[in-house]
Amino acid sequence: MKVLITGGASGLGAAFASTCAARGNTVHVIDIAPTAQGFAHDMGSADPAAWDALVQWLAANGPFDLVILSAGISATGRFEAIPLSDHHAVTSVNLTGPVRLVHMLDTGDHLNAGARLVFVASLSCFTGYPGAASYAASKDGLAGFARSLRGPMRKRGVKVQLACPGPMDTPHASRYAPEGSSAKGRLAPDRAAQAILNARRFTIIPGAGPKLAAFLGRLAPQIMTRLMGRVLFSKLK
């Protein structure tokens, strides 16, 4: 089985890559800093030449049986204090890039019959994320994109899934968490990767804690958003 993973050089993406490789899959990675098996590409790039080069690489290495869109960045702090360029970068990497890549895969026949597309969104799809507004917006957009593709893709034999992990013990989480935050309680990325890869349902929330948070987010969204504000926003400088 051929696997394609964006953001596969670090964090959850790297956990996907190692888990798939251990299962005997042929793993290909797209990352701004890829492994030896990967292709160097910024998912937020606005350079047409960079995307043209990616098209050629996809044609040479595809078609794929499993595509995991895991690349993502964030910007934390007071919304008005974060440069507009940072907000733009977040939406470019987390939403615009995946839309562009999926369009390339679909129109270029780079997906095998019976292929699986996994979109990695966030627990933010179930609750507000004060202090990470553009991140939450980009992940909500990605979730909406996945939901909208689900039916049409199914008719063409492609399965679409939406993964919404909570906080994980990754470099990404450490980079954007409030200063002095503990990794205790964060889900190990290899456990999240295994749970997502083994799941058959459309929406996947790895871990008991995130599942509870998602349930409470649906049940009492205002309370959960205030709680997230205390956990994240109030601790940011």
Side-chain angles (χ1 to χ4, degrees):
M1 183 166 76
K2 282 189 177 182
V3 180
L4 176 64
I5 304 168
T6 69
S10 179
L12 179 60
F16 280 127
S18 60
T19 301
C20 289
R23 295 181 177 187
N25 304 147
T26 300
V27 179
H28 298 277
V29 166
I30 297 173
D31 198 284
I32 198 166
T35 62
Q37 297 168 299
F39 182 79
H41 179 73
D42 178 2
M43 287 295 291
S45 175
D47 180 7
W51 288 97
D52 289 343
L54 178 57
V55 169
Q56 296 177 19
W57 182 84
L58 292 172
N61 291 280
F64 303 97
D65 303 286
L66 170 62
V67 176
I68 305 173
L69 297 135
S70 183
I73 61 173
S74 189
T76 54
R78 292 185 177 276
F79 176 78
E80 68 277 12
I82 298 171
L84 183 59
S85 59
D86 289 359
H87 290 304
H88 177 71
V90 169
T91 55
S92 295
V93 172
N94 295 1
L95 179 57
T96 307
V99 170
R100 192 166 186 171
L101 176 58
V102 170
H103 189 266
M104 287 178 172
L105 291 168
D106 195 21
T107 59
D109 293 324
H110 301 313
L111 296 172
N112 279 324
R116 180 181 173 195
L117 276 174
V118 180
F119 293 85
V120 179
S122 168
L123 187 62
S124 65
C125 294
F126 299 93
T127 180
Y129 260 36
S134 55
Y135 172 83
S138 67
K139 291 299 187 178
D140 273 8
L142 189 67
F145 180 54
R147 293 188 184 101
S148 300
L149 282 183
R150 186 183 183 190
M153 284 288 190
R154 185 194 299 123
K155 293 178 181 177
R156 300 204 293 277
V158 176
K159 182 175 184 177
V160 173
Q161 292 176 291
L162 175 66
C164 298
M168 288 177 288
D169 187 10
T170 63
H172 179 276
S174 299
R175 185 179 307 121
Y176 298 111
E179 187 176 343
S181 295
S182 171
K184 185 179 180 180
R186 295 180 190 165
L187 188 64
D190 59 335
R191 287 184 57 197
Q194 289 173 11
I196 293 167
L197 289 170
N198 292 337
R200 296 185 178 184
R201 59 194 175 277
F202 172 68
T203 303
I204 310 161
I205 305 172
K211 283 186 176 68
L212 177 60
F215 172 76
L216 293 175
R218 289 190 182 112
L219 186 67
Q222 291 181 336
I223 293 174
M224 277 301 296
T225 299
R226 284 200 297 269
L227 177 61
M228 289 303 300
R230 292 174 186 170
V231 170
L232 177 63
F233 184 71
S234 66
K235 296 181 180 180
L236 291 169
K237 290 186 177 180

